[in-house]
Amino acid sequence: MIRSCPGVPHTDNERAQAVLRVLGLRHLAQGVALSVTGRPAAVGVGVAADVLHAVSALGLARYSKRWRTGAVADFVLASAFAAAGALALTRQTRRAVLSAAVRNPTG
């Protein structure tokens, strides 16, 4: 990620690499949790994590000129993940409501 963003200082910055590894592991754990459970609550937690990630990236972009380019790219990606998760959650909730209505039409 660091090397793919033009203008981002990526010379042997161990702290930046460690942060990106942690964020990558978080994405993997989130993906595994969602694929295993698929429950709306898990999707909601994932959306919340992505929103927090986007907000923190936006804060970094605002206050760090050195990391602005990478932080903006990270903000865009995290926002896209949050939006996709919210859309999936909306569809999943809609399906659950429709399914319940079909099973019990009298409510």
Side-chain angles (χ1 to χ4, degrees):
M1 171 84 177
I2 293 176
R3 288 184 182 90
S4 67
C5 293
V8 174
H10 53 74
T11 59
D12 298 330
N13 191 319
E14 292 178 19
R15 186 180 302 162
Q17 290 175 6
V19 168
L20 288 175
R21 285 187 183 113
V22 168
L23 292 174
L25 287 173
R26 198 248 334 148
H27 276 292
L28 286 174
Q30 181 178 341
V32 168
L34 290 176
S35 67
V36 169
T37 66
R39 294 185 177 152
V43 176
V45 169
V47 169
D50 290 329
V51 167
L52 290 173
H53 184 146
V55 169
S56 66
L58 193 58
L60 180 61
R62 169 69 176 96
Y63 293 106
S64 176
K65 189 173 183 175
R66 178 179 186 203
W67 294 103
R68 187 163 293 143
T69 304
V72 168
D74 196 34
F75 168 76
V76 169
L77 289 172
S79 296
F81 278 121
L87 181 62
L89 184 60
T90 302
R91 287 181 177 166
Q92 197 173 31
T93 303
R94 189 179 311 132
R95 266 189 245 124
V97 169
L98 290 174
S99 177
V102 168
R103 284 193 310 265
N104 187 10
T106 59

